[in-house]
Amino acid sequence: MPRTPTVGIVDAMSDALFDIERLSFAYPGRPPVLRDVSLRIARGDFIGLIGPNGAGKSTMLNLLTGWLRPTSGIVRFRGRALGEWSRRALAREIGVVAQAEEGIFPFTAEEVVLMGRYAHQPPLVGFDDPEDRAIARGVLALVGLEGFEQRPVGQLSGGERQRVFLARALAQCPQVLLLDEPTSSLDLNYKRDVFRLLERLNREQGLATFVVTHDVNLAALYCRTVIVLHDGAIRAAGPPDEILDEALLDSVYRTTVEVLRGADGAPVVTIRR
């Protein structure tokens, strides 16, 4: 019987994963995108990063993945500077779900998920290993796509494709999951399903989760910590029911909002006419 991989297991000596200290970044010839940002991501965290367009959210994620190098400050992963890790080693530790995927549509769901196993394979070895295929099928079942293994990704709905990409990241057996707008093109039902799945993985397997999202309400409903990024700096960070208020959101988004409370006490943000 295919086994489901264990994700989110960290060194028992420490629950620290990312330590970001006084991080700044600027593209050549342009003003800083991020200024003096410090934060920590630990095992079991479920963090939502919100903020308006141009706040620096995607840049922040690219610095955590190592695709960008900071102008100043440092990003440490498990106590080592991110630049000291090889790409292959990082791929065994950090799962990434990007905002858009190109060039994967000729592949089946199982083939896409198997791409997440490359860092665990010796160089020049294919994906015929039975353990890799068992892991791929296990994570597809985990995200609710059992029986979709041979379905071409191009024939799947947007929500199903997003779950395939999430399964690929989980196939890496990572300690932390980084997601960039994972629900940006999905309808309300699929948005909820993706966040419910992330919450379950975080709660049941301790998978540290850091998600960039424009959906303030989903972040408030599912994330235990929300970070508000504005003009490249952290304006607020903490439990959503404590930090998300009208004055903060009005100033950050430059509009007029109303913050209500749902039946469970979670903030619900609406735009005033």
Side-chain angles (χ1 to χ4, degrees):
M1 180 178 178
R3 68 179 180 85
T4 298
T6 301
V7 295
I9 301 302
V10 298
D11 188 340
M13 297 296 292
S14 172
D15 66 353
L17 295 173
F18 279 104
D19 278 300
I20 297 97
E21 295 181 9
R22 309 200 65 170
L23 188 68
S24 296
F25 179 82
Y27 293 98
R30 295 170 58 185
V33 179
L34 292 172
R35 297 178 286 106
D36 203 28
V37 171
S38 296
L39 63 94
R40 181 174 181 267
I41 303 173
R43 185 184 193 278
D45 280 347
F46 192 169
I47 299 173
L49 182 66
I50 66 171
N53 289 332
K57 301 186 300 298
S58 292
T59 299
M60 183 74 208
L61 204 70
N62 285 331
L63 288 163
L64 294 182
T65 63
W67 289 114
L68 293 176
R69 293 182 179 273
T71 304
S72 62
I74 190 167
V75 179
R76 292 188 181 89
F77 182 72
R78 294 183 61 189
R80 293 168 52 196
L82 203 62
E84 297 176 7
W85 292 77
S86 70
R87 298 303 308 176
R88 192 176 184 86
L90 279 179
R92 292 194 291 266
E93 306 277 348
I94 301 171
V96 180
V97 180
Q99 190 171 149
E101 295 279 352
E102 302 292 342
I104 49 78
F105 296 106
F107 297 100
T108 66
E110 184 179 60
E111 287 170 338
V112 171
V113 174
L114 280 170
M115 294 174 188
R117 296 298 301 160
Y118 86 93
H120 296 272
Q121 285 281 354
L124 305 179
V125 174
F127 297 115
D128 292 325
D129 186 282
E131 182 179 12
D132 288 324
R133 293 198 175 274
I135 287 174
R137 290 168 185 165
V139 292
L140 280 168
L142 189 65
V143 302
L145 293 179
E146 187 173 11
F148 281 65
E149 292 84 1
Q150 301 310 313
R151 292 273 296 275
V153 173
Q155 296 179 12
L156 302 181
S157 70
E160 290 164 347
R161 281 200 300 271
Q162 198 63 17
R163 281 185 279 168
V164 169
F165 303 144
L166 178 56
R168 181 184 58 191
L170 295 176
Q172 297 171 226
C173 300
Q175 297 188 26
V176 59
L177 195 61
L178 306 176
L179 306 100
D180 191 7
E181 295 289 351
T183 61
S184 60
S185 60
L186 306 182
D187 65 28
L188 291 176
N189 185 49
Y190 277 124
K191 286 176 187 282
R192 180 200 61 186
D193 286 350
V194 167
F195 268 82
R196 277 183 173 175
L197 176 58
L198 293 175
E199 181 190 45
R200 180 161 63 89
L201 291 169
N202 173 262
R203 182 182 66 252
E204 295 179 358
Q205 301 197 27
L207 178 60
T209 304
F210 185 89
V211 55
V212 170
T213 180
H214 276 298
D215 198 316
V216 177
N217 287 322
L218 282 175
L221 189 60
Y222 289 100
C223 299
R224 284 194 295 279
T225 300
V226 170
I227 297 173
V228 182
L229 197 65
H230 182 228
D231 289 339
I234 293 177
R235 283 285 304 274
D241 59 340
E242 295 180 9
I243 68 161
L244 294 180
D245 59 35
E246 292 172 1
L248 171 67
L249 296 175
D250 283 355
S251 67
V252 166
Y253 288 97
R254 296 184 175 91
T255 189
T256 304
V257 304
E258 184 175 7
V259 179
L260 308 173
R261 296 288 163 177
D264 58 358
V268 179
V269 181
T270 63
I271 299 176
R272 289 179 178 170
R273 295 185 65 179

